[in-house]
Amino acid sequence: MKLQQLRYIWEVAHHDLNVSATATELFTSQPGISKQIRLLEEELGVDIFARNGKRLTRITPAGKIILDKVGEILREVASIRHIADEYRNESRGTLSIATTHTQARYALPEILPGLRQAYPEVTLHMRQGTTEQIGDWASSGEVDFAIAPEVMDRYPDLIMMPCYRWNRSVVVPKNHDLARRDSLGFDDLKRYPIVTYDAGFWERLPVAGDSEQTESVFDIALSAVDTDVIKTYVRLGFGVGIIARMAYDPEEDHELVAIDASNLFKASTTFIGCRKGTFMRQFMIDFVGAFAPHLTPELIERAFVAPNPAARAAVFDGIDLPER
């Protein structure tokens, strides 16, 4: 069994079983990949892929279990390389982040220029997506860090650490009926179409108090992942916008009025996290510390060695999170 063979079956599985596309991606030949996969299957005595002639059609049950283990092996190999890189040159490498549009647009610009200045040889990669996509990318090892507005409980291999608390604002055009209001109630919102985040976000939207408000009591005119898209359609008159408070800029959004909605919605918490066993290079530790200053190297280490989610949560008990 060779590491190259493991990488081949992993990449084929993640290229929709397209051996030709995998060969192009890896700068090698299609027959060479097919041969190595066959040799591995012969050595193991099981088929990893089912076939129709020469074409791969699906991953076998045994193949799914094998690929899970292969993913772990390849991530450990990458970690070993990171360790070697750290000792060769601790100021050079890559930092990949998966996050929401709101974090990428309104939170990260405050810290990434400083990180870039401190580590000019570190290449930054940023991917934006839904909470589910962020969790999948981080859990699979495709990115180093996940930054998301909630704990992703269905990803037990991620260590998520609280960064700050935030709430929402209602945004309307300056000529809107609500523009002169200092505060709003749910009855006000139910009178107008709503423009807000994607449906998955809305389903998890925490409502203040004991109200049993659900999505069905609102008229959702449009939902989107991108906050700037939401504000654009509010300007066009699609409805009343509900956005993260930090995403309203009085100068850039001068055509809109923001009304604090913290009386309507419970505060949310943004978390940053990475896979268990991640080798934290110095620039990664500095990145976490810049994004959430209370996450000291000592606190990060305690979170990493905590034996279970409950013990990990206890690490952060008593920390007074900042608000945005």
Side-chain angles (χ1 to χ4, degrees):
M1 186 185 308
K2 301 176 182 178
L3 182 62
Q4 182 187 54
Q5 293 172 328
L6 301 183
R7 186 170 297 281
Y8 282 169
I9 64 171
W10 177 262
E11 292 297 337
V12 167
H14 287 78
H15 282 81
D16 297 323
L17 306 186
N18 188 323
V19 180
S20 178
T22 303
T24 301
E25 180 74 18
L26 298 180
F27 301 101
T28 188
S29 68
Q30 179 177 341
I33 290 179
S34 297
K35 178 182 178 181
Q36 291 301 319
I37 292 176
R38 274 298 191 190
L39 289 173
L40 178 60
E41 290 177 322
E42 290 172 5
E43 179 182 349
L44 296 177
V46 297
D47 286 339
I48 298 170
F49 302 105
R51 294 168 173 82
N52 182 2
K54 293 185 178 180
R55 186 171 63 88
L56 304 184
T57 57
R58 61 182 175 84
I59 302 171
T60 66
K64 291 178 181 178
I65 298 173
I66 291 170
L67 283 165
D68 284 343
K69 293 296 182 183
V70 168
E72 295 176 10
I73 292 169
L74 294 180
R75 285 189 286 270
E76 288 300 324
V77 169
S79 181
I80 291 170
R81 290 191 176 119
H82 282 320
I83 293 171
D85 288 342
E86 175 81 4
Y87 281 93
R88 281 202 308 269
N89 189 338
E90 62 182 25
S91 63
R92 177 183 300 171
T94 61
L95 177 65
S96 53
I97 306 161
T99 188
T100 63
H101 168 267
T102 300
Q103 305 298 323
R105 171 69 176 81
Y106 297 99
L108 289 172
E110 298 177 4
I111 67 163
L112 289 185
L115 187 73
R116 177 67 177 167
Q117 185 174 5
Y119 296 98
E121 294 184 276
V122 171
T123 302
L124 299 171
H125 299 286
M126 192 180 304
R127 300 178 71 171
Q128 298 175 46
T130 64
T131 301
E132 288 74 18
Q133 289 173 321
I134 293 166
D136 288 342
W137 293 332
S139 183
S140 67
E142 293 182 54
V143 297
D144 297 316
F145 287 104
I147 301 176
E150 59 187 87
V151 174
M152 293 175 283
D153 295 329
R154 69 186 184 95
Y155 301 100
D157 52 350
L158 294 182
I159 297 175
M160 302 300 291
M161 300 172 284
C163 300
Y164 60 82
R165 294 166 63 81
W166 58 276
N167 215 307
R168 297 152 185 81
S169 288
V170 169
V171 290
V172 295
K174 285 187 173 180
N175 61 353
H176 195 276
D177 292 343
L178 299 179
R180 291 176 293 278
R181 299 281 296 276
D182 294 326
S183 63
L184 301 172
F186 274 111
D187 288 340
D188 296 311
L189 296 184
K190 285 187 285 186
R191 291 166 47 203
Y192 301 96
I194 300 296
V195 183
T196 190
Y197 296 106
D198 69 284
F201 180 98
W202 183 258
E203 289 166 3
R204 296 185 295 268
L205 194 60
V207 180
D210 298 324
S211 172
E212 296 182 354
Q213 303 289 343
T214 64
E215 181 179 358
S216 62
V217 303
F218 296 99
D219 174 14
I220 308 298
L222 184 145
S223 64
V225 175
D226 189 319
T227 306
D228 288 341
V229 169
I230 293 172
K231 291 188 289 188
T232 294
Y233 283 90
V234 171
R235 293 186 184 97
L236 291 174
F238 270 60
V240 170
I242 301 176
I243 63 172
R245 185 165 55 198
M246 74 183 83
Y248 175 77
D249 185 315
E251 292 186 6
E252 292 189 4
D253 302 320
H254 58 87
E255 302 151 310
L256 301 176
V257 172
I259 307 163
D260 180 52
S262 57
N263 63 308
L264 303 178
F265 304 110
K266 294 179 181 177
S268 295
T269 301
T270 287
F271 291 80
I272 187 169
C274 56
R275 282 182 55 86
K276 295 177 184 176
T278 297
F279 177 69
M280 296 284 282
R281 303 182 65 183
Q282 188 59 51
F283 61 78
M284 298 169 74
I285 294 173
D286 289 349
F287 166 68
V288 174
F291 190 73
H294 61 276
L295 295 178
T296 62
E298 294 76 21
L299 205 60
I300 295 171
E301 183 177 359
R302 287 174 56 196
F304 266 72
V305 300
N308 53 57
R312 195 173 304 134
V315 170
F316 305 106
D317 283 349
I319 293 179
D320 188 16
L321 296 179
E323 294 194 9
R324 295 189 60 125

PDB file of all heavy atoms in Angstrom, residues 206-226:
ATOM      1  N   PRO A 206     -32.842  32.978  16.617  1.00  0.00           N
ATOM      2  CA  PRO A 206     -33.331  32.933  18.003  1.00  0.00           C
ATOM      3  C   PRO A 206     -34.250  34.105  18.316  1.00  0.00           C
ATOM      4  O   PRO A 206     -33.892  35.268  18.160  1.00  0.00           O
ATOM      5  CB  PRO A 206     -32.035  33.023  18.822  1.00  0.00           C
ATOM      6  CG  PRO A 206     -31.090  33.770  17.943  1.00  0.00           C
ATOM      7  CD  PRO A 206     -31.448  33.421  16.526  1.00  0.00           C
ATOM      8  N   VAL A 207     -35.443  33.802  18.743  1.00  0.00           N
ATOM      9  CA  VAL A 207     -36.425  34.829  19.052  1.00  0.00           C
ATOM     10  C   VAL A 207     -36.386  35.160  20.537  1.00  0.00           C
ATOM     11  O   VAL A 207     -36.356  34.268  21.382  1.00  0.00           O
ATOM     12  CB  VAL A 207     -37.844  34.357  18.659  1.00  0.00           C
ATOM     13  CG1 VAL A 207     -38.876  35.414  18.968  1.00  0.00           C
ATOM     14  CG2 VAL A 207     -37.880  33.984  17.185  1.00  0.00           C
ATOM     15  N   ALA A 208     -36.381  36.432  20.878  1.00  0.00           N
ATOM     16  CA  ALA A 208     -36.305  36.848  22.275  1.00  0.00           C
ATOM     17  C   ALA A 208     -37.590  36.495  23.015  1.00  0.00           C
ATOM     18  O   ALA A 208     -38.668  36.419  22.441  1.00  0.00           O
ATOM     19  CB  ALA A 208     -36.044  38.354  22.354  1.00  0.00           C
ATOM     20  N   GLY A 209     -37.469  36.300  24.331  1.00  0.00           N
ATOM     21  CA  GLY A 209     -38.634  36.027  25.162  1.00  0.00           C
ATOM     22  C   GLY A 209     -39.162  34.618  24.963  1.00  0.00           C
ATOM     23  O   GLY A 209     -38.476  33.735  24.488  1.00  0.00           O
ATOM     24  N   ASP A 210     -40.420  34.409  25.328  1.00  0.00           N
ATOM     25  CA  ASP A 210     -41.038  33.091  25.238  1.00  0.00           C
ATOM     26  C   ASP A 210     -41.932  32.952  24.013  1.00  0.00           C
ATOM     27  O   ASP A 210     -42.728  32.027  23.907  1.00  0.00           O
ATOM     28  CB  ASP A 210     -41.874  32.811  26.490  1.00  0.00           C
ATOM     29  CG  ASP A 210     -41.024  32.783  27.748  1.00  0.00           C
ATOM     30  OD1 ASP A 210     -39.881  32.313  27.651  1.00  0.00           O
ATOM     31  OD2 ASP A 210     -41.512  33.230  28.804  1.00  0.00           O
ATOM     32  N   SER A 211     -41.802  33.895  23.087  1.00  0.00           N
ATOM     33  CA  SER A 211     -42.657  33.875  21.894  1.00  0.00           C
ATOM     34  C   SER A 211     -42.419  32.618  21.067  1.00  0.00           C
ATOM     35  O   SER A 211     -41.313  32.110  20.984  1.00  0.00           O
ATOM     36  CB  SER A 211     -42.382  35.112  21.034  1.00  0.00           C
ATOM     37  OG  SER A 211     -43.056  35.023  19.806  1.00  0.00           O
ATOM     38  N   GLU A 212     -43.469  32.101  20.459  1.00  0.00           N
ATOM     39  CA  GLU A 212     -43.348  30.934  19.594  1.00  0.00           C
ATOM     40  C   GLU A 212     -43.436  31.362  18.129  1.00  0.00           C
ATOM     41  O   GLU A 212     -44.016  30.676  17.282  1.00  0.00           O
ATOM     42  CB  GLU A 212     -44.434  29.911  19.920  1.00  0.00           C
ATOM     43  CG  GLU A 212     -44.304  29.338  21.326  1.00  0.00           C
ATOM     44  CD  GLU A 212     -45.354  28.282  21.613  1.00  0.00           C
ATOM     45  OE1 GLU A 212     -46.250  28.094  20.756  1.00  0.00           O
ATOM     46  OE2 GLU A 212     -45.284  27.660  22.683  1.00  0.00           O
ATOM     47  N   GLN A 213     -42.837  32.507  17.823  1.00  0.00           N
ATOM     48  CA  GLN A 213     -42.854  32.994  16.449  1.00  0.00           C
ATOM     49  C   GLN A 213     -42.149  31.989  15.547  1.00  0.00           C
ATOM     50  O   GLN A 213     -41.145  31.401  15.897  1.00  0.00           O
ATOM     51  CB  GLN A 213     -42.120  34.338  16.364  1.00  0.00           C
ATOM     52  CG  GLN A 213     -42.671  35.417  17.266  1.00  0.00           C
ATOM     53  CD  GLN A 213     -44.019  35.927  16.785  1.00  0.00           C
ATOM     54  OE1 GLN A 213     -44.377  35.701  15.642  1.00  0.00           O
ATOM     55  NE2 GLN A 213     -44.738  36.610  17.643  1.00  0.00           N
ATOM     56  N   THR A 214     -42.683  31.766  14.375  1.00  0.00           N
ATOM     57  CA  THR A 214     -42.049  30.886  13.390  1.00  0.00           C
ATOM     58  C   THR A 214     -42.004  31.600  12.064  1.00  0.00           C
ATOM     59  O   THR A 214     -42.605  32.662  11.873  1.00  0.00           O
ATOM     60  CB  THR A 214     -42.850  29.574  13.217  1.00  0.00           C
ATOM     61  OG1 THR A 214     -44.132  29.902  12.684  1.00  0.00           O
ATOM     62  CG2 THR A 214     -43.007  28.846  14.543  1.00  0.00           C
ATOM     63  N   GLU A 215     -41.290  30.975  11.140  1.00  0.00           N
ATOM     64  CA  GLU A 215     -41.150  31.574   9.820  1.00  0.00           C
ATOM     65  C   GLU A 215     -42.508  31.808   9.167  1.00  0.00           C
ATOM     66  O   GLU A 215     -42.688  32.758   8.402  1.00  0.00           O
ATOM     67  CB  GLU A 215     -40.290  30.654   8.946  1.00  0.00           C
ATOM     68  CG  GLU A 215     -40.038  31.178   7.549  1.00  0.00           C
ATOM     69  CD  GLU A 215     -39.174  30.232   6.743  1.00  0.00           C
ATOM     70  OE1 GLU A 215     -38.757  29.204   7.281  1.00  0.00           O
ATOM     71  OE2 GLU A 215     -38.934  30.549   5.563  1.00  0.00           O
ATOM     72  N   SER A 216     -43.498  30.966   9.486  1.00  0.00           N
ATOM     73  CA  SER A 216     -44.792  31.037   8.812  1.00  0.00           C
ATOM     74  C   SER A 216     -45.547  32.323   9.108  1.00  0.00           C
ATOM     75  O   SER A 216     -46.450  32.688   8.357  1.00  0.00           O
ATOM     76  CB  SER A 216     -45.649  29.824   9.211  1.00  0.00           C
ATOM     77  OG  SER A 216     -45.904  29.835  10.603  1.00  0.00           O
ATOM     78  N   VAL A 217     -45.235  33.014  10.203  1.00  0.00           N
ATOM     79  CA  VAL A 217     -45.980  34.227  10.520  1.00  0.00           C
ATOM     80  C   VAL A 217     -45.420  35.429   9.771  1.00  0.00           C
ATOM     81  O   VAL A 217     -45.984  36.514   9.846  1.00  0.00           O
ATOM     82  CB  VAL A 217     -45.978  34.515  12.039  1.00  0.00           C
ATOM     83  CG1 VAL A 217     -46.541  33.339  12.804  1.00  0.00           C
ATOM     84  CG2 VAL A 217     -44.591  34.876  12.544  1.00  0.00           C
ATOM     85  N   PHE A 218     -44.300  35.241   9.058  1.00  0.00           N
ATOM     86  CA  PHE A 218     -43.711  36.337   8.303  1.00  0.00           C
ATOM     87  C   PHE A 218     -43.837  36.068   6.805  1.00  0.00           C
ATOM     88  O   PHE A 218     -43.878  34.911   6.370  1.00  0.00           O
ATOM     89  CB  PHE A 218     -42.242  36.517   8.663  1.00  0.00           C
ATOM     90  CG  PHE A 218     -42.013  36.926  10.089  1.00  0.00           C
ATOM     91  CD1 PHE A 218     -41.663  35.985  11.050  1.00  0.00           C
ATOM     92  CD2 PHE A 218     -42.157  38.245  10.485  1.00  0.00           C
ATOM     93  CE1 PHE A 218     -41.453  36.351  12.365  1.00  0.00           C
ATOM     94  CE2 PHE A 218     -41.944  38.625  11.796  1.00  0.00           C
ATOM     95  CZ  PHE A 218     -41.601  37.664  12.744  1.00  0.00           C
ATOM     96  N   ASP A 219     -43.865  37.115   6.054  1.00  0.00           N
ATOM     97  CA  ASP A 219     -43.873  37.034   4.596  1.00  0.00           C
ATOM     98  C   ASP A 219     -42.433  37.209   4.120  1.00  0.00           C
ATOM     99  O   ASP A 219     -41.938  38.334   4.037  1.00  0.00           O
ATOM    100  CB  ASP A 219     -44.784  38.125   4.027  1.00  0.00           C
ATOM    101  CG  ASP A 219     -44.723  38.182   2.514  1.00  0.00           C
ATOM    102  OD1 ASP A 219     -44.194  37.234   1.889  1.00  0.00           O
ATOM    103  OD2 ASP A 219     -45.191  39.187   1.949  1.00  0.00           O
ATOM    104  N   ILE A 220     -41.752  36.105   3.838  1.00  0.00           N
ATOM    105  CA  ILE A 220     -40.363  36.171   3.397  1.00  0.00           C
ATOM    106  C   ILE A 220     -40.343  36.465   1.898  1.00  0.00           C
ATOM    107  O   ILE A 220     -40.605  35.584   1.073  1.00  0.00           O
ATOM    108  CB  ILE A 220     -39.599  34.870   3.701  1.00  0.00           C
ATOM    109  CG1 ILE A 220     -39.768  34.473   5.167  1.00  0.00           C
ATOM    110  CG2 ILE A 220     -38.119  35.024   3.345  1.00  0.00           C
ATOM    111  CD1 ILE A 220     -39.209  35.480   6.143  1.00  0.00           C
ATOM    112  N   ALA A 221     -40.037  37.697   1.567  1.00  0.00           N
ATOM    113  CA  ALA A 221     -40.038  38.094   0.159  1.00  0.00           C
ATOM    114  C   ALA A 221     -38.788  37.614  -0.560  1.00  0.00           C
ATOM    115  O   ALA A 221     -38.832  37.264  -1.741  1.00  0.00           O
ATOM    116  CB  ALA A 221     -40.143  39.611   0.045  1.00  0.00           C
ATOM    117  N   LEU A 222     -37.650  37.578   0.159  1.00  0.00           N
ATOM    118  CA  LEU A 222     -36.391  37.185  -0.473  1.00  0.00           C
ATOM    119  C   LEU A 222     -35.417  36.785   0.624  1.00  0.00           C
ATOM    120  O   LEU A 222     -35.367  37.421   1.686  1.00  0.00           O
ATOM    121  CB  LEU A 222     -35.816  38.341  -1.293  1.00  0.00           C
ATOM    122  CG  LEU A 222     -34.536  38.078  -2.098  1.00  0.00           C
ATOM    123  CD1 LEU A 222     -34.567  38.867  -3.409  1.00  0.00           C
ATOM    124  CD2 LEU A 222     -33.282  38.473  -1.312  1.00  0.00           C
ATOM    125  N   SER A 223     -34.662  35.733   0.372  1.00  0.00           N
ATOM    126  CA  SER A 223     -33.600  35.338   1.307  1.00  0.00           C
ATOM    127  C   SER A 223     -32.301  35.193   0.532  1.00  0.00           C
ATOM    128  O   SER A 223     -32.306  34.845  -0.651  1.00  0.00           O
ATOM    129  CB  SER A 223     -33.947  34.023   2.019  1.00  0.00           C
ATOM    130  OG  SER A 223     -34.024  32.957   1.097  1.00  0.00           O
ATOM    131  N   ALA A 224     -31.192  35.460   1.201  1.00  0.00           N
ATOM    132  CA  ALA A 224     -29.879  35.403   0.552  1.00  0.00           C
ATOM    133  C   ALA A 224     -28.815  35.137   1.601  1.00  0.00           C
ATOM    134  O   ALA A 224     -29.012  35.373   2.788  1.00  0.00           O
ATOM    135  CB  ALA A 224     -29.587  36.716  -0.179  1.00  0.00           C
ATOM    136  N   VAL A 225     -27.667  34.648   1.164  1.00  0.00           N
ATOM    137  CA  VAL A 225     -26.528  34.425   2.057  1.00  0.00           C
ATOM    138  C   VAL A 225     -25.749  35.721   2.247  1.00  0.00           C
ATOM    139  O   VAL A 225     -25.198  35.976   3.326  1.00  0.00           O
ATOM    140  CB  VAL A 225     -25.611  33.326   1.475  1.00  0.00           C
ATOM    141  CG1 VAL A 225     -24.357  33.161   2.326  1.00  0.00           C
ATOM    142  CG2 VAL A 225     -26.358  31.999   1.383  1.00  0.00           C
ATOM    143  N   ASP A 226     -25.719  36.547   1.221  1.00  0.00           N
ATOM    144  CA  ASP A 226     -24.893  37.758   1.179  1.00  0.00           C
ATOM    145  C   ASP A 226     -25.661  38.945   1.766  1.00  0.00           C
ATOM    146  O   ASP A 226     -26.726  39.324   1.283  1.00  0.00           O
ATOM    147  CB  ASP A 226     -24.530  38.027  -0.288  1.00  0.00           C
ATOM    148  CG  ASP A 226     -23.501  39.112  -0.459  1.00  0.00           C
ATOM    149  OD1 ASP A 226     -23.582  40.134   0.244  1.00  0.00           O
ATOM    150  OD2 ASP A 226     -22.614  38.939  -1.312  1.00  0.00           O
TER     151      ASP A 226
END
